[in-house]
Amino acid sequence: MSRLHDKANGGLPEACPGLRMTPQRQEVYRVLMGRRDHPTANEVHSRVKKRLPNISLATVYNCLETLVDHGLIRQVNFERESSRYCSNVNEHGHFHDAASGAIHDIDFKPGVNLADFLDLPPGAVIEDIEITLRGKLAAS
Amino acid sequence: MSRLHDKANGGLPEACPGLRMTPQRQEVYRVLMGRRDHPTANEVHSRVKKRLPNISLATVYNCLETLVDHGLIRQVNFERESSRYCSNVNEHGHFHDAASGAIHDIDFKPGVNLADFLDLPPGAVIEDIEITLRGKLAAS
DNA sequence: TCCTAGATTGGAATTATTCTTGATATCGGT
DNA sequence: ACCGATATCAAGAATAATTCCAATCTAGGA
């Protein structure tokens, strides 16, 4: 068998060049895909320990960094809080609900262009966008 | 004399209810208005020490927090870097030039509405928006 | 199977920020 | 101008998230 991981796969991408898929990385990734809330490294560590009780927090940080570097997950920061990790790798923003603390992904409407609503400096080439909204959801 | 600060004023707002304008706060504010780059607390500390050599970093943090709470300045965070402080209190975003490290304010085009380009959750009431772009300025 | 690069671990180190405490300064009322 | 209540300041200790480090460990190729 040539693949690093077998059958169930845990939602792993078929291939990711240059990335050795170790059990730790696999489990960190699986945990992130399983619950798509936006856990901190600590929360990831707690969840991963259920299956890999001996994994260290440093390793979780390492795995998260590696997965981020390979574009499999995203790291998101709100204010100066702990970094959170996001399994949605599409371009999107976040809505932080002040009441519940929950974080919701916000998609861009199709076809929108940044330059339509922002006064960009002339010649600016945008490589990364980060949009965070804070507010409340009206009681439905 | 009834006002806390006299003539030159240092760009201070005429009045800010509930805010005691101490020399430290005044100088921190003056420094921020003077150079509208986006200094960290440490950089503010260095600059302020030129006039108030005995001011402590803790006091600078206190002053910055107070000024932020009173809406006279804004605190901005990029990734997990040290917080930066921004004397532009209008609603705006930031462009982080990867090459120079410089941070440019980005204004919204007039009349744009968030809901025009973002898929907001129904009933969401937005209280704060944070937009950060990263990229480069094309060599002009 | 052996070798080597890369991965993991636990703990120490780092760094920005906050907290604590005592001293000082300021305000409003008299 | 004086007083008590309150707010601010300063210095250093404390905190918390993250990174670094040195010592194993592991997987995969020769």
Side-chain angles (χ1 to χ4, degrees):
Chain A
M1 190 173 66
S2 62
R3 289 252 43 72
L4 295 164
H5 48 276
D6 49 17
K7 51 196 170 167
N9 182 339
L12 286 169
E14 279 314 300
C16 190
L19 173 62
R20 180 142 78 186
M21 192 50 79
T22 66
Q24 290 85 348
R25 291 176 182 170
Q26 181 158 339
E27 185 59 16
V28 165
Y29 186 72
R30 212 186 53 80
V31 151
L32 281 171
M33 297 305 286
R35 269 183 67 185
R36 286 148 170 284
D37 53 356
H38 295 74
T40 63
N42 246 313
E43 288 162 347
V44 173
H45 186 219
S46 309
R47 294 179 195 176
V48 168
K49 271 197 294 192
K50 287 178 189 144
R51 290 209 189 181
L52 300 176
N54 298 320
I55 194 172
S56 72
L57 180 56
T59 298
V60 169
Y61 272 106
N62 287 339
C63 292
L64 289 168
E65 182 183 15
T66 305
L67 294 173
V68 167
D69 288 348
H70 285 79
L72 297 177
I73 62 174
R74 291 176 72 113
Q75 178 177 19
V76 296
N77 300 294
F78 302 117
E79 309 288 323
R80 306 219 86 252
E81 295 169 11
S82 321
S83 289
R84 294 170 175 279
Y85 296 86
C86 180
S87 47
N88 178 354
V89 293
N90 298 319
E91 190 97 59
H92 68 284
H94 293 101
F95 173 79
H96 203 163
D97 183 7
S100 71
I103 291 155
H104 304 271
D105 287 0
I106 301 285
D107 288 321
F108 292 89
K109 295 209 167 179
V112 292
N113 187 340
L114 273 187
D116 292 343
F117 53 95
L118 293 178
D119 259 339
L120 298 180
V125 179
I126 307 301
E127 287 160 357
D128 190 45
I129 308 172
E130 197 186 295
I131 296 192
T132 305
L133 312 175
R134 245 171 309 282
K136 340 186 222 277
L137 292 175
S140 62
Chain B
M1 189 174 65
S2 63
R3 289 247 47 70
L4 294 164
H5 47 275
D6 47 18
K7 52 199 169 169
N9 182 337
L12 286 170
E14 279 314 302
C16 190
L19 174 61
R20 192 187 286 182
M21 191 47 82
T22 67
Q24 289 86 348
R25 291 175 184 171
Q26 182 158 340
E27 186 59 16
V28 165
Y29 186 73
R30 210 186 54 79
V31 153
L32 282 171
M33 297 305 287
R35 271 184 67 185
R36 285 148 169 287
D37 53 356
H38 296 74
T40 62
N42 246 314
E43 288 162 347
V44 172
H45 186 219
S46 308
R47 294 179 196 176
V48 166
K49 271 198 292 192
K50 289 178 188 144
R51 289 208 190 181
L52 300 177
N54 298 320
I55 194 172
S56 71
L57 179 56
T59 298
V60 169
Y61 271 106
N62 287 339
C63 292
L64 289 168
E65 182 184 15
T66 306
L67 293 172
V68 167
D69 287 348
H70 284 79
L72 296 177
I73 62 175
R74 291 176 73 114
Q75 178 176 18
V76 296
N77 300 294
F78 302 117
E79 307 290 322
R80 306 218 86 252
E81 295 171 9
S82 319
S83 289
R84 294 171 176 278
Y85 296 86
C86 179
S87 46
N88 179 354
V89 293
N90 298 319
E91 190 96 58
H92 68 283
H94 293 101
F95 174 79
H96 203 163
D97 183 8
S100 70
I103 292 156
H104 303 273
D105 286 359
I106 301 286
D107 288 320
F108 291 89
K109 295 209 167 176
V112 292
N113 187 338
L114 273 188
D116 292 343
F117 55 94
L118 293 178
D119 260 339
L120 299 180
V125 180
I126 307 301
E127 287 160 357
D128 190 44
I129 309 171
E130 198 186 295
I131 296 192
T132 304
L133 311 176
R134 246 171 307 282
K136 341 184 221 277
L137 291 176
S140 61

